Amino acid sequence: MQQKAPTSRIDDTLLSQFRAIVGPAHAVVDPDQQMPYLREWRDTYFGVSPLVVRPGSVDEVSQVLALANANRLPVVPQAGNTGLVGGQIPSDANTEIVLSVERLNAVRAVDPAGGTLTVEAGMTLADCQTAADDVDRLFPLSLPSEGSCRIGGNIATNAGGVGVLAYGNARQLVMGLEVVLPDGRVLNDLNTLKKNNTGYDLKNLFIGSEGTLGVITAAVLRLFPKPAEKATAFVAIPRLDSAIDLLGKAQQLAGSNLTAFEFIPRIVLEFVTRHVSGARDPLAEIYPWYALIEISGPKPDGQAEQTMQTLLETAAEAGLILDGVVAGSIAQSRDLWKLREGISEAQKPEGRNIKHDVSVPIAAIPDFVSKVNAAVLNICPGARPLALGHFGDGNVHYNVVQPIDMDPKQFGALGPNISAAVYDVVAQFGGAISAEHGIGQMKTDVLAQTKDPVAFDLMRSIKMLLDPNGIMNPGKVLNNL
């Protein structure tokens, strides 16, 4: 059973109907005004669209989808347009309208006692963090793009980030959702209860669905007590496998107060200090690998810093670290985090990148990196592999930068072979081809090849049930529908 991709185009009558729903100013047809919605920030994906609509309410989203569905018009939902796999970008067929949720940006409710924040999908992640901070609570989802990415997109892609070790992915941070279905019906599942055992947990269908099942318009977010203190350390380690034992010691000493454990190779540090303003190497000597560690504390009693010092002392005695620095102030902590958060910015000036967001068992990360590096360099001698990411949850951002003297187009032509080699090694270690960036249009073929056949068939069935006309984000996730 297959869905046929809709092919309807917008005529003047249909355009007038969309304008009547969202207002003329928010039914964008001018190509120059559309441009921010049609290209992603790396210029890897770009498309064309006959119309960009910017509804200002849930009712307007409902009317837009109902009209699109009745006319079998494809719809590409978009939030902050910061995705890295092209899930938010239309094709070049000029048949898909873009539906931006940017105008849905209100805080609907705050309940500090209950630990919930109800927001609309167009709020930026940074604004969600601020809304939590205003009531002395923490919303822990944290991404380098948090000033521009929007919470609807974060949820639709099940975003991860640097806080996953302690708090989980977006899926663990969402208690309820409001979703407009393809036919225009509104699913009101804005649950704020910690216990609600009344049938299927429908929100989890839409978290991570990348806009293929409906449009997320609001969410109930889970809040946490704010840490009273943090200790941040940047340490050099002799080998990547040293990070396994170092992580174990950190978890043993800090327990749930270990809130971040990132790994960074030397080449990445060189990129960041070369291209990110204000970034500098905090250590005097050059080392092959580094770890960025953060320990939080519930009380301002110095326990976080004491635990960090104990960790570094015992790790140094065991030969797990060679050097390190502990931030002595909030500003110094920000400087250390800049070395991690500036990585995306620093890669672009080095040339063309082929990016992979994968996960493997934590204990397998060193062997995975060694094996995949060999496979990539066999395909492209002189390539510059960058293996980094969230060691504590097994998420490896495995990026490959072109050789210094290679033409970008020549390197790009090797992309399919390089990615195939990466995913082959991922499979050998029992890993996943996407850890937190999603499938989008980048990984549809690989997903079909690697997903359990029964699971893949169930995904197809759910898509057919909720979106029988196939209007929602065609060509994404399930490309063959």
Side-chain angles (χ1 to χ4, degrees):
M1 182 170 54
Q2 281 193 330
Q3 290 173 310
K4 293 182 179 179
T7 57
S8 301
R9 294 180 181 273
I10 296 180
D11 58 21
D12 289 342
T13 299
L14 197 53
L15 178 59
S16 296
Q17 291 176 295
F18 280 115
R19 282 175 170 161
I21 295 171
V22 300
H26 301 295
V28 182
V29 296
D30 179 79
D32 291 335
Q33 295 181 29
Q34 287 185 345
M35 191 56 63
Y37 305 90
L38 304 182
R39 305 180 77 94
E40 55 98 57
W41 66 277
R42 297 174 303 163
D43 286 336
T44 301
Y45 296 99
F46 54 89
V48 292
S49 174
L51 176 66
V52 175
V53 291
R54 301 181 296 207
S57 68
V58 177
D59 182 61
E60 289 183 5
V61 176
S62 173
Q63 292 183 59
V64 166
L65 287 187
L67 180 59
N69 193 53
N71 290 273
R72 295 180 59 83
L73 182 68
V75 178
V76 178
Q78 189 178 106
N81 193 12
T82 59
L84 297 175
V85 292
Q88 76 281 16
I89 301 296
S91 72
D92 58 2
N94 201 31
T95 59
E96 303 162 13
I97 71 170
V98 176
L99 188 157
S100 170
V101 298
E102 64 186 334
R103 294 178 63 214
L104 304 176
N105 56 10
V107 174
R108 292 194 185 174
V110 186
D111 180 6
T116 64
L117 170 67
T118 305
V119 299
E120 292 184 337
M123 279 191 65
T124 66
L125 176 55
D127 285 342
C128 293
Q129 295 167 344
T130 299
D133 186 66
D134 287 343
V135 293
D136 198 33
R137 292 293 184 268
L138 171 72
F139 180 60
L141 187 63
S142 181
L143 304 168
S145 60
E146 58 197 28
S148 53
C149 65
R150 299 179 187 274
I151 193 65
N154 299 147
I155 296 169
T157 57
N158 190 27
V162 297
V164 171
L165 179 60
Y167 300 103
N169 289 331
R171 189 179 301 279
Q172 285 74 49
L173 301 176
V174 174
M175 298 182 68
L177 288 180
E178 177 184 81
V179 183
V180 181
L181 302 179
D183 61 6
R185 289 181 297 162
V186 179
L187 171 65
N188 187 347
D189 191 25
L190 291 173
N191 173 56
T192 61
L193 303 174
K194 296 187 182 301
K195 288 188 174 182
N196 182 358
N197 201 13
T198 56
Y200 303 139
D201 189 356
L202 295 176
K203 72 176 183 296
N204 278 308
L205 283 176
F206 301 96
I207 300 172
S209 67
E210 301 184 51
T212 61
L213 301 179
V215 177
I216 295 170
T217 51
V220 179
L221 307 178
R222 190 186 304 272
L223 302 184
F224 295 81
K226 290 173 62 177
E229 61 179 12
K230 293 181 180 180
T232 307
F234 187 86
V235 301
I237 57 179
R239 301 169 307 279
L240 185 54
D241 57 8
S242 303
I244 298 174
D245 292 334
L246 181 58
L247 173 64
K249 286 186 177 294
Q251 291 173 324
Q252 183 180 23
L253 288 169
S256 61
N257 290 331
L258 178 65
T259 47
F261 193 103
E262 303 287 301
F263 73 103
I264 303 170
R266 177 65 198 180
I267 187 174
V268 167
L269 186 62
E270 291 174 357
F271 284 4
V272 173
T273 54
R274 186 151 63 228
H275 299 296
V276 176
S277 176
R280 63 179 185 84
D281 189 338
L283 304 179
E285 302 295 329
I286 294 175
Y287 300 98
W289 290 96
Y290 303 90
L292 180 61
I293 307 169
E294 184 177 88
I295 296 173
S296 300
K299 299 178 181 179
D301 55 5
Q303 186 61 45
E305 185 173 354
Q306 182 178 337
T307 301
M308 181 68 80
Q309 291 291 353
T310 301
L311 170 64
L312 299 188
E313 289 171 4
T314 57
E317 291 174 1
L320 298 177
I321 64 173
L322 304 174
D323 196 359
V325 61
V326 178
S329 65
I330 293 176
Q332 290 177 6
S333 177
R334 288 173 180 165
D335 287 342
L336 294 180
W337 272 107
K338 181 183 289 187
L339 300 174
R340 174 64 181 88
E341 294 168 350
I343 290 174
S344 293
E345 175 187 345
Q347 289 178 63
K348 193 171 183 179
E350 291 291 332
R352 189 157 184 169
N353 281 246
I354 300 171
K355 295 179 180 287
H356 310 88
D357 160 50
V358 302
S359 63
V360 295
I362 293 172
I365 290 177
D367 288 340
F368 165 76
V369 170
S370 177
K371 192 164 188 176
V372 76
N373 281 353
V376 166
L377 293 174
N378 183 58
I379 296 170
C380 182
R384 294 173 286 171
L386 314 178
L388 61 127
H390 319 305
F391 200 97
D393 55 43
N395 184 181
V396 180
H397 295 292
Y398 188 81
N399 305 330
V400 184
V401 183
Q402 68 176 70
I404 294 174
D405 297 326
M406 180 176 280
D407 178 83
K409 291 183 179 179
Q410 181 185 1
F411 179 66
L414 297 175
N417 290 340
I418 289 175
S419 293
V422 171
Y423 296 139
D424 179 64
V425 179
V426 169
Q428 293 176 34
F429 285 91
I433 64 168
S434 178
E436 61 182 4
H437 291 168
I439 300 300
Q441 57 183 287
M442 175 188 285
K443 302 180 181 179
T444 54
D445 292 341
V446 183
L447 179 70
Q449 296 164 7
T450 59
K451 193 73 174 176
D452 172 77
V454 175
F456 194 74
D457 188 54
L458 286 173
M459 290 170 62
R460 288 162 53 94
S461 298
I462 292 169
K463 171 71 171 175
M464 289 291 299
L465 176 66
L466 295 180
D467 184 22
N469 290 332
I471 71 164
M472 296 305 304
N473 218 4
K476 317 297 171 49
V477 184
L478 299 171
N479 193 26
N480 62 336
L481 292 185

